[in-house]
Amino acid sequence: MKYLNKPIKEINKLLKDKKIKPTDLLDEVYASIEANKDLNAYITLNKEEAYKKAKELESIEVDNLLFGIPIAVKDNICTKGLRTTAASHILENFVPIYDATVVEKINEKNMIIIGKTNMDEFAMGSSSRTSYFGAPKNPWNHDKISGGSSGGSATTVAAGDVLFALGSDTGGSIRQPASYTGLVGMKPTYGRVSRYGLIAFASSLDQIGPMTNNVYNNALLLNVLSGKDNKDLTSIETDEDFTRLIGKPLKDVKVAVPNFFMSDIVSDEIREKVKETIKILEDNKIKVDYIDMKYIDKAVTLYQIIAMGEASSNLARFDGIRYGSSYENPENIYDLYVKTRSRGFGAEVKRRIMVGSYLLSGENAKIYYNKALSIRDDIAKEFDKVFEKYDYIIGPTTTTTAYNLDDPMDDPSKSFMDDVLVIPVNMAGIPGLNIPIGLSKDNMPIGMQIIAPKYEEAKIYQLASFLEEKINFGGDTNE
Amino acid sequence: MKNKLTKEEVLHVADLARIEVTKEELEKYQVELKKLLDDVEKINEVENYDDEIMIAPWTNNTTLRSDVEGPMLDPKEVLLNAPHHTANYIAVPTVINENESEGA
Amino acid sequence: MSKYLPTIGIEVHVELKTNTKIFSNSRNGYGSVVNSLTNVVDLGYPGTLPTLNEEVINLGIKAATVLNCKIRRKMHFDRKNYFYPDNPKNYQITQNDTPIGYDGYVEINDDGVMKKIYIEEMHIEEDTCKSTHRKDNTYLDFNRAGVPLIEIVTKPCMTTPNEAKLYLEKLRELLFYTDVSDCKMEEGSMRADANISLRKKESDPFGTKVEIKNIGSISNVKLSLEKEIARQEKMLDNNESFKEQTRRFDSKLNDTVLMRVKETGNDYRYFPEPDIPFVEITDEMIENVKKTIPMLPDERREKYIELGISEINSNKLVQNRDLSDYINDLLDEKIDFQVAANLLLGDISAYLNKEEKTIEETTLNIERFIDLVNNVSNKTISSKNLKDILETIMTKEDSIEKIISSSDVQNITDENLLTEVVDKIIDANPESVNDYKNGHDRAIKYLMGQIMKETKGGANPALVMSILKDKLDN
């Protein structure tokens, strides 16, 4: 590696001084992707267009830190003219006719999209094994999953192909794969990043976020992604620099650790690692309390109801009429629907939309769905209550390290339980970030999540950068 | 508690979701869907919650859009991804029951 | 009197008069090239999200206000899930939990008896795309997809087909006058469905409900309900039972025909739309909308009658909004409103229809119209002569006086001149004079005619008659 292991500011200087060109970066990126082909991180590469763009950039002034920098985009984010499949057979040949807002923002900064990353089909899963295109592999151990649903983005950044990737997080889909692959992954406040152009899984939970191998780069990319978008009514105004608190001293900081996060659902090894990290905090005069939080042990149940319910509606549009694959020669319209959808969707997706339909049908809407929305409000209030006293909530991101790719997939609850620690954050709409805190005995990354109140991403980066420096996980790509 | 759904229950939700369940798959779904439905039953373990609901973690109320026209697609773009089209229309198998739509 | 008591409820969809669609900024238009008024949001493309048109909320507030509804101050939208090819997302964004308006009424006048028709709720939603069914395929045009609609649902409170008709006429009038919708049933911008059931007496539970869908005109709503009542009465008389069902009115058969029997309730799997945050309706928004509400039809009618216009003409004026708006601009003037209404509904309407113009497109501004009314009411010009100069009046800028004086049609009110003519005609028609004196009243009409002929129609008829009678009776 010549350039891509350097801090972003150095790369920027090289570009600015015309010592290197954007195409040099692309050469390195695509050589690395080729060498790591076996990892199956990508569904579609954008090589031709990427080089075209890189060439164009040669005559444009380098005006920002991310200028000319390659980025990978999760394949559920629409890119005009570039195939976008959501890792589903039903969108295998779908070429969007518009760009997602985040893609427009990336393009405005003249970043270069190198390809679309592998993922769980429609982001439904926790191991990326529901992908129609086969699962990506964990660069730390090719027999292991890289998590999901943003498994391809995690894989490619962890493999060192590229410095930046976009993920999406509905119930941990950024943080959990970041944890399994030793990356920094941020699920921003709900509304911080426009969802326009993100193929919806569960609209009230989905959020796009950055995946990088250090905290600074992560904050830098969030600067680009965030902001009010007139095309997304749920987006919020942002006018801040998320890097501003990085490296600033932590004063009078109080941290809460929910007992649920340290209960026996989490492996001993991970609990130990988190305790070591807590010790680092305490050694630096940060007060850490173990607390009880109501409802968070039920977040997975709420998630199952809300996410499957919304998904059953969001995925209804895939009917083979306006776009996507379509069953040929159906007997009638009903036949077109059922054959297109049965052949187009994979098993996990079909299961979830059937259960979601059931949960919304007839009286069930009251029994399950409305009740879930009520308790969801209470979870959010419970977080608010904790944040009256504490600046952060921390805990392990996952209950285990990455498991084997060939572990059985026959338990439909398993993919939900993998995310038991990350889902509460999506329920409350607050930001959460995974920071790697060490390696397991079998040399797999262990991650910790840092959770803060709404809009406090900058504070999360502050604590994360502090830990990054103290722990010095995985090397020297920091600023 | 029974450990699987009835065939009729599976076929009903499959119909709602417009998913075909073949005879071979039926048994599998009877078990798998039941497992997920058992999971969500856990919601009934929750007591002492207030009635207020959260539809989504919205920060603001809706900002209304001015009633000003924006760019539109050329009919050719509309048809670009459509598997079946004739003239400028997107085509589907004939819907026999006219006016069946309940939407409007 | 029938032995059954009908219970009727009406659901109306109206398309709102906005520039753009409800959830996207593509054009809300009719009659354009197929699939030319869409964007990715209307087509339900993956990843797209709805925005919410401000004007839709304003028109919703307006409609709720004139339908005497309470206005929901904080509302959300809901998804109604059903698969159908005209439904791009396979869910429709509508309002199930929190309709913008509720508990309203409109008042109808059923042959002098006033009755309130109660409105259960009115909500905002998106229209579907237009499908054309052919033997080989069904063809989809998404221009209509996402056009804003208001659905207005009455309580089951009407008891006769005529009440349903009067309600719809009233509703159409109100929504048209407030520019909520152009309410053209033939273009589908107003669509009505009727629910009807029969029972023996008011204390009985409601009978089996039949829905009649998408009826093409208000008169057909009445007709289809009459036919449906007759059909159901016959079945009930024969003790035949029938299931809840949906029928449609076939205007060729002149009767309702079965579309489908409702088996179980439709399962729309409603849930709150997460993509659209709460919409808050403030006092200020309501006040601003109220300022844009013009004088409503009932008030107009009352006002016209108060000003001396006949009830028939008052109704006719209200039915013609252009003319009603025109006359409303001069309500404070001291003119003969009966004459003004006659002019507008008579010669002027005939002229406008012939020329296919609106009154605003002519040169007849308010000032000149007032002059014209005064000249007619003081009989300077007869209505017969008016016809000859109307085109000039409607196309030239000259003053009314100038046009009358220069056109040789001025009403002859000179008594001396007329007396001369009368004498001349009496001398020339001795038999007629005799006939009159022998009691044949018809003779005087003949003489009148001769005088008018002599004056080329210019004579003031009332004056001529009085002079003529004077002469003959003395």
Side-chain angles (χ1 to χ4, degrees):
Chain A
M1 260 194 282
K2 274 158 44 190
Y3 310 112
L4 288 178
N5 56 353
K6 292 185 190 303
I8 190 72
K9 283 182 176 170
E10 278 182 39
I11 303 174
N12 180 249
K13 190 160 189 315
L14 290 169
L15 284 167
K16 227 171 183 165
D17 298 345
K18 306 269 181 208
K19 295 213 170 94
I20 60 168
K21 293 180 202 161
T23 51
D24 297 327
L25 297 176
L26 285 185
D27 290 345
E28 201 173 312
V29 163
Y30 284 114
S32 179
I33 291 172
E34 181 60 31
N36 291 323
K37 211 172 172 178
D38 176 51
L39 295 177
N40 198 23
Y42 288 86
I43 292 172
T44 309
L45 289 177
N46 190 35
K47 208 165 170 180
E48 202 175 312
E49 286 298 314
Y51 273 101
K52 209 172 117 193
K53 169 109 184 186
K55 285 258 162 40
E56 281 167 23
L57 294 185
E58 287 175 15
S59 58
I60 300 173
E61 198 196 335
V62 180
D63 63 349
N64 73 86
L65 274 177
L66 295 172
F67 183 98
I69 304 297
I71 182 169
V73 174
K74 188 177 179 180
D75 206 25
N76 59 351
I77 296 170
C78 288
T79 42
K80 187 175 180 175
L82 177 61
R83 183 171 78 136
T84 301
T85 69
S88 181
H89 182 35
I90 210 163
L91 291 179
E92 192 178 355
N93 299 308
F94 175 63
V95 179
I97 53 177
Y98 78 103
D99 272 329
T101 297
V102 288
V103 171
E104 284 180 351
K105 283 171 177 283
I106 286 170
N107 287 336
E108 276 164 28
K109 292 286 170 188
N110 284 317
M111 295 186 86
I112 301 172
I113 293 172
I114 55 167
K116 305 298 291 290
T117 59
N118 207 345
M119 54 181 283
D120 280 300
E121 183 181 3
F122 286 105
M124 295 184 192
S126 60
S127 63
S128 298
R129 289 183 296 172
T130 70
S131 169
Y132 177 70
F133 302 92
K137 295 174 181 174
N138 195 316
W140 292 83
N141 178 339
H142 293 198
D143 293 329
K144 306 272 185 189
I145 60 163
S146 48
S149 63
S150 310
S153 288
T155 298
T156 192
V157 178
D161 298 335
V162 63
L163 293 172
F164 295 88
L166 294 187
S168 70
D169 189 317
T170 306
S173 284
I174 288 174
R175 290 160 290 152
Q176 182 253 47
S179 174
Y180 285 166
T181 57
L183 297 182
V184 178
M186 167 68 97
K187 198 285 298 181
T189 305
Y190 184 82
R192 184 67 94 172
V193 179
S194 167
R195 291 180 295 116
Y196 188 78
L198 170 68
I199 298 176
F201 159 17
S203 314
S204 75
L205 298 156
D206 295 343
Q207 187 64 191
I208 294 170
M211 300 175 81
T212 58
N213 49 25
N214 67 53
V215 174
Y216 180 79
N217 284 0
N218 203 280
L220 204 57
L221 184 52
L222 185 58
N223 279 350
V224 175
L225 303 177
S226 60
K228 172 88 182 158
D229 177 12
N230 290 334
K231 293 174 181 157
D232 177 0
L233 292 173
T234 63
S235 68
I236 52 178
E237 194 57 59
T238 293
D239 186 20
E240 60 178 302
D241 174 7
F242 294 107
T243 67
R244 72 184 188 278
L245 299 177
I246 290 177
K248 295 267 162 33
L250 292 154
K251 277 185 204 154
D252 304 323
V253 167
K254 279 158 78 181
V255 174
V257 181
N259 288 317
F260 175 68
F261 283 4
M262 295 297 268
S263 64
D264 59 8
I265 56 170
V266 180
S267 75
D268 292 343
E269 198 179 19
I270 290 178
R271 271 189 286 174
E272 279 314 306
K273 201 52 98 182
V274 171
K275 280 179 189 161
E276 283 172 31
T277 309
I278 289 169
K279 182 80 172 36
I280 296 173
L281 295 176
E282 288 172 335
D283 289 348
N284 285 276
K285 298 198 173 70
I286 291 168
K287 189 171 162 35
V288 181
D289 288 339
Y290 287 82
I291 58 158
D292 281 322
M293 276 184 79
K294 277 195 285 180
Y295 311 114
I296 57 166
D297 59 326
K298 292 294 182 295
V300 171
T301 306
L302 302 189
Y303 177 80
Q304 287 178 313
I305 296 168
I306 293 166
M308 287 194 275
E310 288 183 18
S312 71
S313 172
N314 282 330
L315 270 66
R317 70 186 63 199
F318 300 102
D319 57 10
I321 295 177
R322 285 142 295 125
Y323 43 73
S325 56
S326 182
Y327 177 71
E328 287 303 317
N329 301 318
E331 284 170 32
N332 51 43
I333 186 75
Y334 187 86
D335 199 41
L336 173 70
Y337 287 143
V338 297
K339 296 245 169 63
T340 296
R341 290 164 62 79
S342 305
R343 284 158 177 72
F345 292 142
E348 178 82 24
V349 171
K350 284 196 259 191
R351 208 156 51 213
R352 290 196 189 192
I353 59 185
M354 278 197 262
V355 173
S357 301
Y358 175 81
L359 293 172
L360 290 170
S361 73
E363 286 300 300
N364 292 346
K366 276 200 198 76
I367 301 169
Y368 299 105
Y369 201 81
N370 291 3
K371 186 165 180 183
L373 295 185
S374 289
I375 302 168
R376 182 177 186 180
D377 182 59
D378 289 285
I379 287 194
K381 284 176 181 159
E382 187 70 9
F383 272 105
D384 289 346
K385 229 158 66 187
V386 175
F387 286 128
E388 282 171 16
K389 286 194 200 151
Y390 298 92
D391 302 283
Y392 300 98
I393 294 170
I394 61 168
T397 305
T398 54
T399 56
T400 66
T401 56
Y403 50 85
N404 287 331
L405 274 163
D406 59 7
D407 273 7
M409 290 177 78
D410 54 359
D411 178 0
S413 307
K414 164 79 174 143
S415 62
F416 294 101
M417 289 315 292
D418 285 347
D419 292 330
V420 64
L421 304 175
V422 274
I423 281 172
V425 161
N426 300 78
M427 281 296 140
I430 52 182
L433 170 138
N434 177 74
I435 177 93
I437 54 168
L439 293 173
S440 66
K441 282 188 268 325
D442 60 353
N443 211 41
M444 292 303 290
I446 293 172
M448 189 181 84
Q449 61 172 335
I450 305 172
I451 303 165
K454 272 187 173 184
Y455 325 120
E456 298 288 8
E457 287 90 342
K459 272 178 71 180
I460 290 182
Y461 287 127
Q462 185 182 15
L463 180 60
S465 66
F466 169 81
L467 287 172
E468 186 176 49
E469 199 189 303
K470 295 287 173 201
I471 295 167
N472 200 13
F473 174 92
D476 56 357
T477 52
N478 201 356
E479 179 197 2
Chain B
M1 209 189 317
K2 58 181 183 159
N3 61 1
K4 58 185 198 180
L5 296 185
T6 65
K7 287 177 179 159
E8 290 70 30
E9 284 169 323
V10 171
L11 291 173
H12 174 64
V13 294
D15 172 55
L16 283 178
R18 295 295 189 271
I19 297 288
E20 187 180 46
V21 173
T22 61
K23 274 185 196 137
E24 299 77 54
E25 292 171 321
L26 199 52
E27 175 82 22
K28 182 175 75 100
Y29 279 118
Q30 282 178 271
V31 175
E32 288 179 357
L33 301 191
K34 176 66 174 140
K35 177 76 171 60
L36 288 171
L37 292 174
D38 286 345
D39 284 353
V40 305
E41 281 303 327
K42 292 193 189 119
I43 195 170
N44 293 319
E45 295 166 8
V46 184
E47 284 161 8
N48 300 322
Y49 57 93
D50 69 36
D51 277 347
E52 214 174 312
I53 61 164
M54 179 193 270
I55 296 170
W58 298 324
T59 297
N60 309 100
N61 287 333
T62 284
T63 311
L64 299 172
R65 164 175 54 81
S66 304
D67 189 20
V68 178
E69 195 180 306
M72 289 181 283
L73 295 171
D74 188 278
K76 285 192 195 74
E77 291 175 285
V78 175
L79 306 177
L80 205 61
N81 279 309
H84 297 282
H85 49 86
T86 307
N88 272 358
Y89 291 96
I90 291 178
V92 295
T94 303
V95 179
I96 296 170
N97 203 345
E98 203 185 337
N99 295 328
E100 197 182 46
S101 179
E102 292 287 339
Chain C
M1 188 69 192
S2 159
K3 29 182 183 163
Y4 299 102
L5 190 64
T7 304
I8 298 167
I10 301 275
E11 287 169 24
V12 169
H13 286 91
V14 289
E15 289 183 348
L16 304 186
K17 249 169 102 172
T18 56
N19 297 323
T20 65
K21 293 184 178 176
I22 177 167
F23 299 124
S24 93
N25 63 0
S26 58
R27 189 188 313 156
N28 172 8
Y30 180 80
S32 295
V33 171
V34 168
N35 283 318
S36 67
L37 306 180
T38 74
N39 60 26
V40 286
V41 178
D42 309 323
L43 295 171
Y45 254 66
T48 58
L49 296 170
T51 56
L52 182 55
N53 185 348
E54 181 179 30
E55 191 59 12
V56 172
I57 301 301
N58 287 338
L59 295 180
I61 294 170
K62 212 178 196 181
T65 305
V66 300
L67 302 180
N68 302 299
C69 286
K70 291 179 185 141
I71 294 171
R72 183 92 44 182
R73 294 313 190 92
K74 187 182 180 187
M75 58 190 196
H76 66 260
F77 286 81
D78 300 281
R79 291 189 187 176
K80 179 180 181 178
N81 295 284
Y82 65 97
F83 282 88
Y84 203 77
D86 69 4
N87 185 13
K89 301 179 292 297
N90 288 317
Y91 62 80
Q92 180 197 32
I93 306 178
T94 177
Q95 296 187 304
N96 190 48
D97 298 340
T98 55
I100 185 167
Y102 57 100
D103 288 350
Y105 67 88
V106 296
E107 228 170 350
I108 58 168
N109 181 343
D110 191 357
D111 209 13
V113 181
M114 301 305 286
K115 181 174 176 175
K116 276 183 180 168
I117 305 299
Y118 291 97
I119 290 164
E120 174 95 35
E121 55 102 351
M122 48 161 288
H123 62 262
I124 298 167
E125 62 187 21
E126 58 182 330
D127 209 344
T128 56
C129 87
K130 187 167 166 273
S131 33
T132 309
H133 306 287
R134 293 278 179 271
K135 273 210 182 85
D136 57 343
N137 279 312
T138 287
Y139 295 99
L140 306 174
D141 173 6
F142 290 81
N143 286 353
R144 200 184 70 187
V147 163
L149 295 175
I150 291 182
E151 180 175 353
I152 301 155
V153 183
T154 69
K155 292 197 165 137
C157 63
M158 285 163 270
T159 52
T160 67
N162 194 48
E163 282 180 6
K165 171 178 167 271
L166 293 169
Y167 163 70
L168 286 168
E169 282 171 355
K170 193 51 165 295
L171 188 67
R172 181 169 65 179
E173 207 173 72
L174 282 167
L175 299 179
F176 180 70
Y177 263 95
T178 46
D179 280 321
V180 170
S181 172
D182 59 17
C183 294
K184 289 181 182 161
M185 285 190 91
E186 64 282 11
E187 286 179 10
S189 65
M190 179 171 177
R191 312 195 274 269
D193 304 330
N195 288 307
I196 169 135
S197 64
L198 299 189
R199 55 181 165 172
K200 282 208 166 122
K201 52 186 191 297
E202 219 162 311
S203 54
D204 287 350
F206 289 126
T208 306
K209 192 171 86 176
V210 170
E211 185 181 24
I212 313 170
K213 281 192 87 78
N214 282 323
I215 317 162
S217 70
I218 291 180
S219 52
N220 278 351
V221 170
K222 186 180 174 198
L223 190 58
S224 64
L225 285 169
E226 285 164 354
K227 295 281 183 178
E228 185 55 25
I229 290 170
R231 196 185 68 86
Q232 289 185 28
E233 276 177 348
K234 205 167 146 194
M235 293 183 77
L236 292 171
D237 281 345
N238 297 336
N239 283 323
E240 288 175 59
S241 70
F242 54 92
K243 282 191 175 146
E244 210 173 301
Q245 56 191 269
T246 303
R247 305 179 70 84
R248 65 182 172 82
F249 185 72
D250 188 315
S251 49
K252 278 182 205 135
L253 292 175
N254 220 7
D255 205 347
T256 66
V257 290
L258 180 69
M259 280 170 74
R260 61 179 177 272
V261 173
K262 281 200 176 147
E263 281 142 15
T264 47
N266 280 310
D267 194 345
Y268 290 125
R269 288 164 286 141
Y270 284 104
F271 74 100
E273 167 60 274
D275 288 329
I276 306 175
F278 290 116
V279 178
E280 202 136 5
I281 296 181
T282 61
D283 290 347
E284 196 193 348
M285 286 163 81
I286 295 173
E287 283 317 307
N288 284 338
V289 167
K290 278 186 176 165
K291 280 180 208 152
T292 67
I293 297 176
M295 190 191 284
L296 295 177
D298 277 350
E299 196 184 338
R300 289 179 193 230
R301 262 186 289 266
E302 253 171 60
K303 186 83 193 167
Y304 299 158
I305 291 169
E306 190 185 306
L307 290 169
I309 302 174
S310 70
E311 200 178 323
I312 289 175
N313 278 353
S314 296
N315 280 325
K316 278 187 185 167
L317 277 172
V318 172
Q319 279 159 21
N320 187 329
R321 185 170 155 200
D322 275 350
L323 297 183
S324 176
D325 284 346
Y326 188 82
I327 205 164
N328 269 26
D329 281 345
L330 45 99
L331 293 180
D332 295 332
E333 301 293 333
K334 297 263 174 295
I335 55 168
D336 186 332
F337 280 96
Q338 215 173 333
V339 170
N342 282 334
L343 279 170
L344 286 174
L345 294 167
D347 293 335
I348 291 176
S349 283
Y351 171 84
L352 295 173
N353 287 340
K354 194 181 92 205
E355 299 293 320
E356 293 181 349
K357 276 185 186 170
T358 65
I359 195 156
E360 297 296 335
E361 290 164 347
T362 69
T363 58
L364 189 65
N365 59 27
I366 289 293
E367 289 69 37
R368 294 176 74 240
F369 179 68
I370 291 168
D371 282 348
L372 178 64
V373 171
N374 288 335
N375 273 296
V376 174
S377 53
N378 70 18
K379 309 217 158 49
T380 308
I381 181 162
S382 74
S383 67
K384 182 174 181 300
N385 289 328
L386 176 62
K387 287 188 176 62
D388 295 336
I389 57 167
L390 193 64
E391 182 158 1
T392 317
I393 290 172
M394 304 300 276
T395 54
K396 296 279 186 322
E397 309 270 353
D398 296 339
S399 75
I400 302 298
E401 280 76 14
K402 196 176 160 200
I403 293 171
I404 293 173
S405 61
S406 67
S407 68
D408 192 33
V409 295
Q410 191 162 13
N411 211 312
I412 302 165
T413 49
D414 182 331
E415 220 167 306
N416 294 333
L417 183 71
L418 286 178
T419 308
E420 256 176 55
V421 180
V422 171
D423 286 342
K424 186 179 160 195
I425 295 299
I426 286 176
D427 288 348
N429 296 285
E431 307 92 63
S432 295
V433 174
N434 266 334
D435 285 353
Y436 176 78
K437 288 190 168 160
N438 292 331
H440 295 291
D441 280 351
R442 237 169 358 117
I444 198 165
K445 282 190 181 140
Y446 174 76
L447 294 171
M448 264 302 281
Q450 295 301 306
I451 295 161
M452 294 312 279
K453 208 173 168 184
E454 183 71 24
T455 58
K456 297 198 175 71
N460 182 318
L463 197 54
V464 171
M465 186 56 96
S466 100
I467 295 169
L468 184 61
K469 278 200 166 174
D470 235 32
K471 295 267 175 197
L472 293 174
D473 294 344
N474 297 320

